[in-house]
Amino acid sequence: MTALPPLSDVYDDYQLLDSEDRYRLLIDLGRMLEPMPDALKTDATKVRGCSSSTWVYPTRLDDGRLHFLADSNAAITKGIVALILSIVQDRPPEDIVNLDIHAELEPFDLKRELSSNRTQGVPNMIKLIQETAKRLAV
C-alpha cells in the first residue's frame, strides 16, 4: 500500500491531462487505497446515494487522528473516494469537521468531467465523513 498523494500534487497532474487521461489518473489513485476487509463492507458503512457500491469505514489512530478505509466496486468511483480521502486522511476529527471538502474538490470540476451518476454520491460521502468526524471530535 502506498500513501495517497497530497491533493495539490494530484491536481498538478490532473490539470495537464485530457478527459480520458483524467479517468486513468482517478483509477490509478483508487488503486492506491489500502485494501478494505470484506467484513467491513456492511450496510452500516455503505455510502447512500452512490450508483455503485461504496463503503467508508473510520478508524482512529493512537493519537486520535482519523484514518479511513474505503472501497468501491467501480474503478472511477473508487478514484473519487481516494481523492476525497487525500483531503481528510489521518487528520484530527476537529480539522475534518472544519474543512470545506467541496471547495477543496472544486478545482477538479468533477461534475463537468464525470457523468452525474459517478458524482451523485459525493455529497453523501462527504457528509458521512464529516458527521463521523463531528461525532468523534473532542
Side-chain angles (χ1 to χ4, degrees), residues 23-94:
Y23 280 119
R24 284 192 199 95
L25 181 135
L26 287 173
I27 290 168
D28 289 344
L29 191 62
R31 289 182 180 137
M32 296 174 76
L33 288 175
E34 63 190 284
M36 182 179 187
D38 287 340
L40 297 178
K41 297 175 187 175
T42 66
D43 194 54
T45 62
K46 192 169 189 174
V47 177
R48 305 287 175 231
C50 283
S51 59
S52 60
S53 293
T54 304
W55 304 269
V56 176
Y57 182 81
T59 64
R60 209 155 194 187
L61 302 175
D62 290 340
D63 62 4
R65 293 177 297 144
L66 293 180
H67 183 83
F68 294 90
L69 298 175
D71 199 5
S72 179
N73 66 351
I76 297 287
T77 304
K78 191 171 179 175
I80 295 169
V81 172
L83 196 62
I84 293 169
L85 290 188
S86 70
I87 299 168
V88 301
Q89 194 69 290
D90 299 338
R91 296 182 72 157
E94 298 81 9

